[in-house]
Amino acid sequence: MMKFSLRSFVCAVLLALLLPAVGYGQDLIKEQSFGKDDSIVLDFALPVDQVAAAKVSNYTVFEENDPDIRLAIKSADVLQGGSQVVLNFAEPLNTTQAHIVQITNLADDRLTTRVSKSYLAYLFSILISALLINNFVFTKYLGLCVFFGTSKRKSTAKGMGVVFTIVMVVSACMSWFFYQYFLIPYDLNFLQILVFIGLVSLTVQAVDTVLRKVNPVLFNSFGVYLVLVIANCVIIAVPLIVANNNYNIFETIMLSLGAGGGFLLALYLMSSVSERLALAKIPPSFKGLPVAFIVAGQFAMAFLGFSGLQIF
């Protein structure tokens, strides 16, 4: 009984001595996040050696998808008495990608942590980017034929915007499915434009049939512009961006919703101005399409104010 107690006491002492070191190495980093465009903030559970923490050579940072490319660290600022370190980089970081930070000489073992944005925040940033920051009409100048043709009245503009959004979401999801499970596995990437146009035309035909039965007045107000949706550059741009960035299904839905919502916003803004311009005294040489181009240019300049906006 005495031996057992002595052995237990020795084990307890060893554990008491070793556990803090193990915990110190594993749980030293309490929180990690992106700071500004060119920095990463590391919060430690305990104050660390400030001299070692300030040495740039103790840190190795790279993007998770490119482990062979080391990012150049300009400085390491030690704050809050050693409880926080801010890594400043020579160039802006691609915060859409996860980053790996490896730290040496701060604990017994090399510390490794993963820095990334919240995935929900990332999805929301895709939505806001397509809706405002990179609006397909006012910043990329896509879909102008339908934009100028259906933005004379609010009712028509709202209807076309909703139709565009529906077609964009459905066609983008179908394009993502075919691209991931047919084009990539069978090395048919060169057919992506033909496949995407075919899927868009199938979606537009389905919407055409439904609108003809459900709302004939709205269908007649679209005229030839509903057919133009099939080969519209906005509709085709979304699946091409999805394929180029290798988005998953959730990111695809956010991009298509943002692009469709941005087109709806552009149509509604333009139709609101067009209804007022119809009652205004405009020189004959500016009536019609010329003044529409002037107004669209002013909207485009206004949307430049969203450039560089970061929500998260």
Side-chain angles (χ1 to χ4, degrees):
M1 187 69 180
M2 186 64 182
K3 291 183 179 180
F4 177 78
S5 300
L6 182 60
R7 183 181 301 175
S8 301
F9 176 77
V10 173
C11 292
V13 171
L14 291 176
L15 287 175
L17 294 174
L18 292 176
L19 278 179
V22 174
Y24 184 79
Q26 291 179 345
D27 302 328
L28 181 60
I29 300 177
K30 181 176 64 175
E31 187 177 352
Q32 59 282 329
S33 62
F34 290 109
K36 298 180 180 179
D37 293 341
D38 58 350
S39 65
I40 289 178
V41 180
L42 302 175
D43 291 316
F44 296 99
L46 298 172
V48 296
D49 185 354
Q50 298 187 33
V51 176
K55 290 184 178 180
V56 174
S57 58
N58 290 337
Y59 303 93
T60 302
V61 183
F62 53 86
E63 292 186 9
E64 190 175 35
N65 295 333
D66 294 315
D68 296 331
I69 301 177
R70 300 295 191 263
L71 302 180
I73 304 175
K74 184 170 60 176
S75 64
D77 299 333
V78 182
L79 306 175
Q80 300 180 7
S83 296
Q84 185 181 81
V85 174
V86 179
L87 301 178
N88 300 304
F89 294 84
E91 297 181 357
L93 302 175
N94 181 12
T95 56
T96 61
Q97 299 292 329
H99 287 60
I100 303 299
V101 179
Q102 295 177 344
I103 310 173
T104 56
N105 299 327
L106 288 185
D108 293 341
D109 298 326
R110 183 173 63 178
L111 302 176
T112 301
T113 185
R114 184 176 184 271
V115 185
S116 63
K117 286 185 175 181
S118 169
Y119 188 65
L120 291 178
Y122 174 59
L123 292 179
F124 187 70
S125 66
I126 294 177
L127 176 67
I128 294 299
S129 177
L131 181 67
L132 297 176
I133 304 172
N134 297 311
N135 187 280
F136 280 44
V137 177
F138 293 136
T139 62
K140 299 181 182 296
Y141 312 110
L142 300 178
L144 294 181
C145 53
V146 178
F147 171 72
F148 286 114
T150 60
S151 60
K152 295 180 175 62
R153 291 179 305 192
K154 290 182 182 179
S155 58
T156 305
K158 289 187 291 185
M160 178 57 77
V162 172
V163 170
F164 242 77
T165 304
I166 294 174
V167 172
M168 211 171 289
V169 172
V170 174
S171 63
C173 293
M174 293 172 60
S175 300
W176 175 86
F177 178 81
F178 274 85
Y179 182 76
Q180 293 292 331
Y181 294 100
F182 291 97
L183 298 186
I184 292 180
Y186 296 102
D187 197 20
L188 299 174
N189 293 350
F190 60 93
L191 294 176
Q192 58 179 295
I193 295 181
L194 294 178
V195 172
F196 294 163
I197 291 177
L199 294 174
V200 171
S201 62
L202 179 64
T203 307
V204 171
Q205 186 62 42
V207 173
D208 180 280
T209 304
V210 172
L211 274 181
R212 194 189 300 267
K213 299 293 184 182
V214 175
N215 196 336
V217 177
L218 182 61
F219 172 80
N220 293 329
S221 66
F222 288 159
V224 70
Y225 295 106
L226 185 60
V227 180
L228 291 177
V229 175
I230 294 176
N232 192 276
C233 45
V234 177
I235 301 290
I236 301 300
V238 172
L240 289 177
I241 292 174
V242 168
N244 185 57
N245 294 329
N246 197 24
Y247 281 164
N248 59 32
I249 186 62
F250 300 108
E251 297 162 356
T252 300
I253 294 174
M254 289 296 105
L255 177 64
S256 55
L257 279 176
F263 195 81
L264 172 60
L265 177 63
L267 285 176
Y268 188 79
L269 291 174
M270 191 65 187
S271 62
S272 300
V273 176
S274 297
E275 290 183 353
R276 297 180 68 88
L277 288 176
L279 303 175
K281 293 181 180 180
I282 302 173
S285 58
F286 282 93
K287 285 186 177 180
L289 199 57
V291 72
F293 271 105
I294 293 174
V295 173
Q298 292 176 334
F299 276 127
M301 293 178 63
F303 270 71
L304 285 177
F306 295 110
S307 299
L309 176 67
Q310 287 190 350
I311 306 300
F312 298 97

